[in-house]
Amino acid sequence: MKTGIKIDFTAAGGVIDFGQRVTGFPAQGQNALVNIGTRLGSDVVVPQKGTTLEERAMLRNSFDPVWAINTANFAALRTRSFMVRSDRDAETLSTIVDRLHLRPSTYANQRFTVLVEMSNDNGDTFGDVGIGLRLSDLTES
Amino acid sequence: MEDFENKDLVSYLPETVDEASLETARDFVEDLVREALPEVDTRPNSVVGDHIISPLAHMVARMNVGYGRLMSDLRLSQVAQGIVYNCDFVREFLKNFSVSNGEAMENPAWGTIRLSFPSAANRVINRGTRFRFGPDTVFRLRSGNPGPFYARGPGDTFVSGTNQFLLKRIDDEVWAVDLPVEGIMDFDVNQGDTATTDQTIPDLLEITAAATFNRGVPDLTIAELAQRAIAAQAGRSLHSRRGAQAFVLERFPDVVHQRTVVTGDPEMYRGAGNAFGVPAGTIDFYGRGIVEYTDDTRVIRLQYSPPSDPTQTDDYFYGRLTQREAVLFVNELRQDGRSFPFITFSQSRDPVRAPLLSAARSALEDVWIQVNMPYDTEGEQLIRVVDENTPDAHAFFEVDIEVDPIVENVFMEMDSPDSRPAGIELLPKASTPIEITSFTMNHVRRSGAILDHTAAREKLYDYLNRVTYPRIVSSAVVADILALYGNAELVDVDVEATMQPTCADYVFLDNADPEGDFENAVANALPTPSVSISTLDGLNADFDFSSLYCRVNRKNRTILLRGDSLETSLKFVEKADV
């Protein structure tokens, strides 16, 4: 199983904690969170990375539950698909992350928050983690 | 940073890289890290993946493009088309080919210097003489011929291959000789400029520049320089010994032996002069392409010549075996799997270009073959004749020959319209093989030492197969090999070897017409000399068959180890300690 460096997600943003390691399910869950919060096409080396969550949220002026669910579902689907494709060691989601749910939470003060929840076959869960998107400025909380 | 940006490497890097290249580069870098640290999470979105792998991938992608551009600048064909990424680098690189607008050291300046004397007496000028026009403008004599320079009076005969120059009268009481020089030019040397010398030349009146000197550096664009470099490399001249060798080596780098023999060499019997008596240049190229020759089987149709009288058994088959290829050996003739004895004849296809055996083992040698009809004890013919009792009576045979394909290839290359030298008669030939059937090394073994026969044999095989002029087969090398692989001391070497200048048993005279009258051609044919060699020195000997226009020596022979195996041909015999 892959071991990564831990990211502490705070309201002010992600902070890399070089002293901490994450392995297996938490490592992949952490990667999923980063992907959800990344704007699609913003990484020049891996342009397929990220979701349209932020972009779509910025285009909205008012909260629409149907739209929010739809947007969250697409973001979940894109993230899961990308993680499967980009995992060259085939440490697939079916064994590490089986389910990835994104639930719209709030849309207020130009801030769109989705709750992320994921689990695997072993019963491990990761969530509810809220990801808040404010204008073009991404923050996780 | 500013200094670094001026370095060659950075100047080759692109501003941007396309997405596909970045993706490929990321995979490449990730593979490298995964190989070394398989547990580290390098996937996109991970800390290492996004903050280490991706930036590295970006750098590698740019470096990869830069490397491609550097390689392009190293390819003359690209530069010649005007595709240049770094002009400074390419200009420096082209200096390697001595075609650059570069330093005088690589392209020496040159000119003609005039030495004036009060008389037309013969004089000798030291080869090492230096001529100085200024502190850093020094020239030396320039010539491809060895030895000193001679200034000869009018009427003196000119000898080719020497540095002879004629004195010419330039004033009532002044005689001058103009000599080519080359050197370093710090400032321009114009016609009439005077120089000094470091040598004492008797009666010398003055040293002047006979004409304005040339800097030796062409003013060309980079693309033109590259085109010139390509021309200099690819356009090997076939007009000289060295040029012909370079020409062949460039196109056939796997030639094992290669040696050229030119007009004036003792081995050259061709092209003494043309119809008008003017000496014509000739070059024989001797080569051996591969260590082992190629075995080949040919099916040939031989004409049947019936018995001179029905009661006689002097009937036979005859015909041409090969043409336009250098046959090294004719080994066996069969019909229906049964071998029969045969006689072979060599004939020059073009006696004007290559008389008698000067065509041997070249594309100008035709090999003819004769098979006498064998009879059994009851007088029955053993070879079936097709269409017997007709003018077209014949039979088919299989013949095993050994050829060296390199000879025909070289012939075709040299004979191409682009390569064929004007006024030079050039003929590629297979080096004459000296067949060693037994090479016995009598030696004394030191007590306790073990001779590694296998290793020594391999080393000897390699040595004998590749020994080529000017190296000779040397007992010193054989002794070294024995000492190296067994601490043994060589006493002497017994050799059993044979050399035959052609594969054929007889040589047809140049005016023979075997096609029209085979019997007459055979009656006048000359036997091919065959030499048995029993000593090591014999492998380096000079065999002159002048009546057959052929000479074989260490310049044009090659050593060929025969026998079923190296064990049977390379033998070690231990002698009692002496």
Side-chain angles (χ1 to χ4, degrees):
Chain A
M1 283 192 295
K2 297 290 184 186
T3 299
I5 297 169
K6 190 168 186 288
I7 301 173
D8 290 329
F9 295 102
T10 68
V15 177
I16 298 170
D17 184 351
F18 287 100
Q20 299 290 318
R21 301 280 182 272
V22 281
T23 303
F25 178 66
Q28 203 162 37
Q30 182 176 282
N31 290 352
L33 281 179
V34 172
N35 192 73
I36 291 163
T38 302
R39 187 195 288 193
L40 182 66
S42 61
D43 187 329
V44 291
V45 179
V46 191
Q48 313 91 323
K49 209 175 92 174
T51 65
T52 56
L53 206 58
E54 184 196 21
E55 191 182 347
R56 289 172 66 106
M58 284 171 64
L59 294 173
R60 298 296 298 186
N61 290 322
S62 60
F63 186 75
D64 176 351
V66 176
W67 165 85
I69 291 169
N70 183 271
T71 299
N73 281 344
F74 269 111
L77 189 66
R78 183 178 282 280
T79 296
R80 196 175 190 282
S81 167
F82 174 73
M83 290 179 75
V84 171
R85 276 189 286 117
S86 63
D87 190 344
R88 305 180 69 206
D89 285 327
E91 198 175 271
T92 60
L93 294 181
S94 63
T95 54
I96 303 298
V97 176
D98 187 38
R99 291 177 300 119
L100 175 64
H101 287 173
L102 258 66
R103 284 181 287 119
S105 174
T106 58
Y107 187 87
N109 300 324
Q110 294 188 328
R111 183 183 175 89
F112 177 45
T113 304
V114 291
L115 292 172
V116 181
E117 183 188 325
M118 58 191 97
S119 60
N120 68 2
D121 285 346
N122 299 332
D124 301 321
T125 58
F126 193 87
D128 286 342
V129 179
I131 293 184
L133 302 159
R134 186 190 301 149
L135 295 177
S136 60
D137 176 25
L138 171 68
T139 59
E140 291 89 5
S141 60
Chain B
M1 187 63 188
E2 196 174 309
D3 282 348
F4 193 74
E5 282 174 353
N6 289 331
K7 301 294 182 203
D8 287 332
L9 176 65
V10 178
S11 67
Y12 278 108
L13 298 182
E15 292 290 322
T16 56
V17 187
D18 63 81
E19 276 182 18
S21 300
L22 282 170
E23 195 175 340
T24 307
R26 195 189 187 285
D27 289 348
F28 171 73
V29 174
E30 192 180 3
D31 281 345
L32 288 180
V33 175
R34 284 164 66 223
E35 208 173 290
L37 304 163
E39 293 301 313
V40 173
D41 191 354
T42 54
R43 294 169 291 198
N45 298 311
S46 67
V47 174
V48 173
D50 283 5
H51 297 275
I52 297 175
I53 303 292
S54 288
L56 268 176
H58 205 276
M59 195 179 79
V60 166
R62 289 182 71 198
M63 296 283 276
N64 196 41
V65 174
Y67 179 77
R69 292 176 173 183
L70 174 63
M71 286 295 109
S72 171
D73 273 0
L74 292 173
R75 291 177 62 186
L76 293 178
S77 57
Q78 292 281 96
V79 177
Q81 292 175 50
I83 304 169
V84 179
Y85 291 99
N86 185 331
C87 294
D88 292 340
F89 171 78
V90 172
R91 198 173 283 115
E92 290 297 313
F93 175 65
L94 287 172
K95 286 181 183 175
N96 292 313
F97 302 96
S98 295
V99 293
S100 162
N101 300 355
E103 300 295 322
M105 286 302 288
E106 277 122 339
N107 299 82
W110 58 274
T112 306
I113 205 157
R114 172 164 289 180
L115 307 184
S116 303
F117 300 95
S119 72
N122 289 347
R123 290 175 176 84
V124 180
I125 296 133
N126 192 322
R127 179 71 182 238
T129 305
R130 296 284 189 272
F131 303 95
R132 188 182 293 272
F133 286 90
D136 291 310
T137 302
V138 182
F139 288 83
R140 61 185 182 277
L141 293 167
R142 174 184 195 167
S143 169
N145 296 320
F149 280 52
Y150 299 95
R152 301 288 197 202
D156 209 335
T157 53
F158 177 78
V159 179
S160 174
T162 62
N163 300 311
Q164 291 191 32
F165 296 86
L166 284 181
L167 284 159
K168 50 201 166 193
R169 196 170 196 164
I170 59 170
D171 207 340
D172 282 350
E173 299 296 331
V174 182
W175 300 76
V177 62
D178 293 341
L179 305 175
V181 290
E182 63 180 3
I184 301 166
M185 194 153 73
D186 192 39
F187 58 85
D188 289 344
V189 175
N190 297 308
Q191 186 176 17
D193 287 355
T194 56
T196 57
T197 178
D198 60 345
Q199 304 263 331
T200 303
I201 303 173
D203 298 335
L204 181 67
L205 295 175
E206 193 181 32
I207 305 169
T208 55
T212 299
F213 280 25
N214 193 301
R215 282 200 168 271
V217 282
D219 187 17
L220 302 173
T221 65
I222 289 178
E224 286 169 333
L225 288 170
Q227 286 161 8
R228 182 171 286 199
I230 291 170
Q233 292 298 305
R236 301 288 189 201
S237 165
L238 286 171
H239 286 77
S240 69
R241 190 198 305 273
R242 190 177 291 172
Q245 286 175 194
F247 176 92
V248 174
L249 278 179
E250 184 183 57
R251 288 158 175 79
F252 305 96
D254 57 342
V255 167
V256 177
H257 295 107
Q258 51 93 19
R259 188 70 200 165
T260 45
V261 168
V262 304
T263 304
D265 287 347
E267 298 81 14
M268 177 57 77
Y269 276 105
R270 301 191 307 115
N274 64 16
F276 303 104
V278 178
T282 48
I283 296 179
D284 281 356
F285 175 84
Y286 289 92
R288 179 170 160 190
I290 44 178
V291 175
E292 301 294 339
Y293 295 133
T294 304
D295 292 316
D296 205 0
T297 299
R298 302 289 162 82
V299 176
I300 54 167
R301 180 187 192 276
L302 297 183
Q303 187 73 25
Y304 177 63
S305 175
S308 54
D309 183 276
T311 61
Q312 297 296 310
T313 57
D314 57 356
D315 49 338
Y316 61 90
F317 299 88
Y318 70 97
R320 191 185 271 118
L321 171 61
T322 57
Q323 53 185 352
R324 281 196 71 85
E325 62 183 333
V327 181
L328 272 304
F329 299 99
V330 183
N331 291 330
E332 191 178 14
L333 176 139
R334 295 180 303 276
Q335 191 189 57
D336 297 334
R338 185 173 177 182
S339 292
F340 296 104
F342 59 89
I343 307 164
T344 47
F345 302 87
S346 165
Q347 186 191 25
S348 171
R349 287 176 66 81
D350 189 343
V352 175
R353 288 176 67 184
L356 294 173
L357 284 186
S358 64
R361 290 187 169 112
S362 78
L364 289 183
E365 182 186 41
D366 282 2
V367 178
W368 290 74
I369 193 162
Q370 178 184 347
V371 184
N372 292 324
M373 175 64 86
Y375 286 85
D376 64 11
T377 50
E378 294 171 5
E380 289 296 317
Q381 293 180 335
L382 293 178
I383 296 175
R384 186 171 50 84
V385 181
V386 181
D387 295 334
E388 199 170 6
N389 301 322
T390 71
D392 198 32
H394 63 275
F396 286 95
F397 298 89
E398 281 185 332
V399 183
D400 292 342
I401 60 174
E402 283 176 76
V403 295
D404 192 344
I406 197 84
V407 179
E408 194 183 2
N409 276 294
V410 172
F411 180 84
M412 297 312 292
E413 188 77 31
M414 287 181 163
D415 214 33
S416 70
D418 284 343
S419 304
R420 192 187 306 131
I424 303 280
E425 178 54 48
L426 198 144
L427 184 61
K429 300 177 177 180
S431 299
T432 306
I434 294 182
E435 282 186 285
I436 297 180
T437 48
S438 174
F439 191 92
T440 307
M441 287 151 284
N442 302 308
H443 65 280
V444 177
R445 186 164 57 92
R446 302 268 164 78
S447 59
I450 297 171
L451 179 60
D452 184 344
H453 288 158
T454 306
R457 276 196 182 96
E458 284 174 5
K459 194 76 183 169
L460 278 161
Y461 175 79
D462 198 45
Y463 167 64
L464 290 171
N465 260 317
R466 290 178 182 275
V467 64
T468 185
Y469 184 82
R471 290 164 64 208
I472 59 170
V473 181
S474 163
S475 60
V477 176
V478 179
D480 280 352
I481 292 171
L482 286 185
L484 182 65
Y485 291 99
N487 201 15
E489 208 169 289
L490 183 71
V491 177
D492 56 22
V493 178
D494 295 327
V495 177
E496 287 176 27
T498 53
M499 188 282 296
Q500 201 168 293
T502 170
C503 66
D505 306 310
Y506 293 88
V507 184
F508 282 147
L509 296 182
D510 284 341
N511 60 0
D513 177 22
E515 200 132 27
D517 189 348
F518 188 77
E519 211 154 316
N520 186 48
V522 170
N524 294 303
L526 302 170
T528 301
S530 181
V531 180
S532 295
I533 297 168
S534 58
T535 64
L536 208 60
D537 289 341
L539 300 175
N540 304 314
D542 188 6
F543 305 102
D544 189 9
F545 312 110
S546 55
S547 61
L548 290 169
Y549 293 87
C550 174
R551 188 166 186 157
V552 178
N553 58 26
R554 60 200 168 107
K555 280 187 192 170
N556 56 6
R557 64 99 173 92
T558 183
I559 305 292
L560 187 64
L561 272 171
R562 291 293 204 184
D564 297 333
S565 64
L566 285 185
E567 283 74 20
T568 56
S569 55
L570 291 174
K571 290 176 274 198
F572 300 93
V573 175
E574 193 177 331
K575 299 284 186 186
D577 205 348
V578 287

